[in-house]
Amino acid sequence: MSTNDEPHRPVEARLPQMVFPDHTNHLGTLFGGQALAWMDMAAFIAASRYARRTVVTARSEQVDFKLPIRQGQLVEAIARVVEVGNTSMQVEVELVAEDLLSGERELCTRGRFVMIALDARGRPTTVAALPTA
């Protein structure tokens, strides 16, 4: 339950990255592994900020690569904590590519990550429930 004296818990994190040649394959598009690394980092930041605890990735689920991300585009990883269990957080992550000259943005990749909160001894620990609307 959320109360007025409970600290604010951000549920979203945004992580922009430029796609440089060393991030791409022979077709000039973002390596899938690089996309997953950026998504995992965004999920980590969102879950850490929400839980205010050390977190680790427990699982990545259903990552859909819808459109290629090209060298020279800006990519924004948008991560949102969408569900909270006892010690876990489900984080949805989208990769949105932006053409810096036109400003056109497209959703390219979407996935879900399960993050676990840890205590000082490295053991799973409870996380506050998501606030209700």
Side-chain angles (χ1 to χ4, degrees), residues 6-21:
E6 186 174 298
H8 173 67
R9 294 184 182 278
V11 296
E12 183 178 280
R14 291 173 177 255
L15 182 64
Q17 299 282 345
M18 271 308 294
V19 180
F20 290 113

Side-chain angles (χ1 to χ4, degrees), residues 14-99:
R14 291 173 177 255
L15 182 64
Q17 299 282 345
M18 271 308 294
V19 180
F20 290 113
D22 61 328
H23 301 132
T24 63
N25 60 26
H26 63 291
L27 299 174
T29 60
L30 186 65
F31 280 120
Q34 184 65 63
L36 290 171
W38 287 345
M39 293 172 79
D40 189 35
M41 179 63 73
F44 165 80
I45 293 168
S48 296
R49 290 177 72 207
Y50 179 80
R52 296 297 179 196
R53 301 245 182 223
T54 297
V55 302
V56 293
T57 305
R59 180 172 61 243
S60 62
E61 300 176 344
Q62 181 96 31
V63 177
D64 297 315
F65 295 90
K66 298 173 183 294
L67 296 170
I69 299 169
R70 305 203 179 284
Q71 177 183 319
Q73 289 185 305
L74 177 71
V75 173
E76 186 174 27
I78 304 165
R80 292 179 193 91
V81 178
V82 294
E83 196 175 316
V84 174
N86 187 37
T87 63
S88 67
M89 292 156 282
Q90 300 261 339
V91 183
E92 285 185 357
V93 183
E94 297 176 339
L95 285 185
V96 177
E98 178 179 331
D99 181 289

Side-chain angles (χ1 to χ4, degrees), residues 99-115:
D99 181 289
L100 288 175
L101 300 180
S102 71
E104 182 179 335
R105 292 171 58 92
E106 292 183 295
L107 173 62
C108 295
T109 307
R110 175 181 284 149
R112 185 177 279 237
F113 292 76
V114 177
M115 311 302 285

